[in-house]
């Protein structure tokens, strides 16, 4: 009987994926190749290695590593999460095409789809994932469906399966931004999502010390994304790529701790009278708890709360924090706390924010890997003011 190739666990590919040089004397940690260009042994060598082209060794390694983790054919690492989103959308569409996207998206992605791409003849219809509007929004010229799992900052989980079925029938792509879940908690390829974009600035990097993005999917899509990146130029600097590779090695252990801590913190907030609502997919009270149990491998490190005292109480809570740091972004080892009304959703009116489930008093917490009891003690004293 033919021996089936055994697929390595994510914890293993996170450490070894992309590191292929097992020759004698090879360094265990690949060096940083901080070079923009590469020598030709003959005047017409022909192999054009140039770091903007995406073929710097550090950039190649990290793209291959994330593809191995995601279980997709190929991957490319770029200079930011937004570069990953933008190059993917440009690679998969042309003037006259149409995109259907979930309405709850990261602010810059929403602006790209709603304002920037229309200037280039690519239109987007935003749909409320709860209302089964996807099918109605499809046009003959629809080229891709775009979702985020989970949605920022309400942490709702969209069921991707009916969306994927629709896309398959039409022969178009589903692109999923899985930044908030990370491949540890959600392996998009397992449910049939073909293209995944991530801000590697967050959980993949994990240490709040770099800006990067990754796109993974079928080889022909990654080739097109790479072509776009060569033209528009958001390549990943070799040093940032090296840091990203180092960060990814601990992805599995970090995420397990993020998940555990976030669950403990969510339960703590649930027990507090100052808190009107706790949004965490791991809680039975979360509207998508069952779906999350079904399609996710972990509930994540993000917890959102709504304080009864509104904006004033939220300001007060943040001012009293001693351990949690007040900063946007997420996915680092340190706990970061922010209010969407000052950051990602600052551009919306209070009424519009409320309609999206983000009233004043909404606080988003990216729970780090500190000891849960220390975090809870900090939140307790900050709530007591
Ligand atoms: C869900 C999501 N996608 C994409 C991005 C963009 O990532 P970057 O800041 O690395 O460009 C972010 C940034 O916060 C994000 O939260």
């Amino acid at each position: 009987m033919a021996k089936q190739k055994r697929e390595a666990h994510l914890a293993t590919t996170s450490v070894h994926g992309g590191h292929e040089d097992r020759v004698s004397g090879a360094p265990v940690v690949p060096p940083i190749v901080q070079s923009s260009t590469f020598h030709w042994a003959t005047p017409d060598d022909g192999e054009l290695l140039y770091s903007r082209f995406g073929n710097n060794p550090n950039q190649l390694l990290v793209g291959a590593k994330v593809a191995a983790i995601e279980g997709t054919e190929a991957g490319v690492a770029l200079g930011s999460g937004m570069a990953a989103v933008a190059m993917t959308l440009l690679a998969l569409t042309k003037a006259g095409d149409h995109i259907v996207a979930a309405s709850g998206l990261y602010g810059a992605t929403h602006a790209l789809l709603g304002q920037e791409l229309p200037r280039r003849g690519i239109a987007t219809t935003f749909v409320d994932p709860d209302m089964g509007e996807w099918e109605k929004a499809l046009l003959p010229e629809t080229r891709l469906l775009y979702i985020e799992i989970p949605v920022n900052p309400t942490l709702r989980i969209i069921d991707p399966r009916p969306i994927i079925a629709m896309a398959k029938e039409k022969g178009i792509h589903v692109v999923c931004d899985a930044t908030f879940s990370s491949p540890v908690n959600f392996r998009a390829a397992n449910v049939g999502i073909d293209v995944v974009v991530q801000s590697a600035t967050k959980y993949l990097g994990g240490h709040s010390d770099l800006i990067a993005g990754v796109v993974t999917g079928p080889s022909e899509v990654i080739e097109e994304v790479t072509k776009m990146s060569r033209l528009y130029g958001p390549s990943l600097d070799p040093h940032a790529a090296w840091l990203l590779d180092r960060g990814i090695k601990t992805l599995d252990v970090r995420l397990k701790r993020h998940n555990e801590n976030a669950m403990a913190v969510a339960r703590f907030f649930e027990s507090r009278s100052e808190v009107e609502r706790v949004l965490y997919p791991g809680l039975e009270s979360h509207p998508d708890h069952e779906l999350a149990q079904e399609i996710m491998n972990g509930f994540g490190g993000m917890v959102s709360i709504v304080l009864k005292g509104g904006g004033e109480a939220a300001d007060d809570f943040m001012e009293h924090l001693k351990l949690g740091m007040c900063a946007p972004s997420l996915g680092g080892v340190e706990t970061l706390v922010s209010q969407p009304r000052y950051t990602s959703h600052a551009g919306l009116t209070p009424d519009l924010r409320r309609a999206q489930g983000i009233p004043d008093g909404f606080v988003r917490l990216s729970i780090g890997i500190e000891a849960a009891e220390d975090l809870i003690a900090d939140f307790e004293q900050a709530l007591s003011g």
Side-chain angles (χ1 to χ4, degrees):
M1 211 165 79
K3 215 172 158 192
Q4 263 202 329
K5 193 169 178 281
R6 198 179 152 275
E7 206 183 308
H9 189 278
L10 178 148
T12 307
T13 41
S14 298
V15 176
H16 294 289
H19 299 232
E20 272 155 14
D21 252 1
R22 291 257 169 141
V23 294
S24 260
V28 169
V29 177
I32 307 175
V33 185
Q34 197 73 44
S35 187
S36 59
T37 189
F38 298 82
H39 175 65
W40 281 15
T42 59
D44 61 348
D45 185 321
E47 196 183 0
L48 187 51
L49 297 181
Y50 181 59
S51 291
R52 195 192 76 241
F53 276 32
N55 50 28
N56 177 284
N58 298 105
Q59 190 179 4
L60 284 173
L61 184 155
V62 91
K65 171 170 279 195
V66 181
I69 291 171
E70 292 283 357
T72 56
E73 267 177 19
V76 59
L78 299 171
S80 71
M82 277 318 295
V85 174
M87 294 307 107
T88 302
L89 294 175
L90 288 174
L92 295 177
T93 57
K94 60 179 185 334
D97 285 348
H98 174 250
I99 296 170
V100 184
S103 51
L105 293 178
Y106 174 60
T109 306
H110 201 284
L112 184 67
L113 286 164
Q115 294 157 35
E116 180 57 21
L117 291 184
R119 297 199 314 132
R120 293 161 208 292
I122 301 156
T124 295
T125 304
F126 293 101
V127 297
D128 180 342
D130 270 346
M131 292 165 66
E133 289 176 356
W134 290 86
E135 197 134 25
K136 267 196 283 170
L138 289 182
L139 300 174
E141 53 274 24
T142 305
R143 287 291 156 265
L144 68 94
L145 310 180
Y146 192 96
I147 54 174
E148 279 179 15
I149 294 183
V151 176
N152 173 35
T154 54
L155 308 178
R156 295 292 310 265
I157 314 274
I158 296 174
D159 190 347
R161 294 166 298 188
I163 298 168
I164 294 158
M166 215 180 296
K168 282 219 169 101
E169 203 172 298
K170 213 172 156 11
I172 60 176
H173 294 287
V174 175
V175 178
C176 176
D177 182 333
T179 299
F180 267 54
S181 45
S182 93
V184 176
N185 289 332
F186 179 59
R187 200 137 176 275
N190 284 358
V191 294
I193 290 171
D194 54 352
V195 183
V196 178
V197 292
Q198 290 177 77
S199 167
T201 312
K202 320 299 183 193
Y203 286 111
L204 289 177
H207 295 75
S208 308
D209 55 4
L210 60 90
I211 299 281
V214 183
V215 189
T216 45
S219 303
E220 71 270 15
V221 172
I222 300 307
E223 265 168 40
E224 285 304 308
V225 173
T226 307
K227 258 191 228 165
M228 286 299 119
S229 171
R230 287 178 177 197
L231 292 177
Y232 285 85
S235 55
L236 180 61
D237 181 76
H239 184 238
W242 185 89
L243 278 174
L244 179 55
D245 176 42
R246 179 187 166 113
I248 292 172
K249 289 179 189 180
T250 55
L251 184 69
D252 194 58
V253 282
R254 277 189 286 108
L255 260 294
K256 285 190 172 125
R257 181 62 166 256
H258 283 297
N259 290 347
E260 274 171 31
N261 278 1
M263 191 73 207
V265 165
R267 291 242 183 263
F268 159 75
F269 280 126
E270 250 193 343
S271 73
R272 294 294 300 210
S273 60
E274 299 89 341
V275 180
E276 187 180 302
R277 226 176 143 204
V278 185
L279 297 158
Y280 184 63
L283 294 179
E284 298 74 12
S285 58
H286 190 279
D288 307 315
H289 177 60
E290 277 176 27
L291 173 63
Q293 276 181 314
E294 219 179 307
I295 65 168
M296 317 271 301
N297 303 314
F299 299 119
M302 302 299 294
V303 178
S304 292
I305 56 172
V306 180
L307 292 173
K308 281 185 187 157
E312 221 174 290
D315 286 347
D316 209 41
F317 173 73
M318 293 195 42
E319 272 167 27
H320 282 88
L321 289 172
K322 293 196 168 76
L323 197 56
M325 300 179 80
C326 299
S329 199
L330 63 131
V333 291
E334 57 290 290
T335 293
L336 300 180
V337 186
S338 61
Q339 289 186 63
R341 70 189 171 120
Y342 296 142
T343 56
S344 53
H345 293 71
L348 302 183
T349 63
D351 279 347
L352 271 176
R353 279 197 298 265
R354 212 167 303 120
Q356 290 191 12
I358 314 164
D360 289 356
F362 194 110
V363 180
R364 189 188 85 172
L365 303 105
S366 168
I367 303 298
I369 63 165
E370 304 93 335
E373 57 266 37
D374 291 335
L375 288 172
I376 289 170
D378 190 35
F379 298 144
E380 191 160 31
Q381 65 79 27
L383 280 178
S384 311

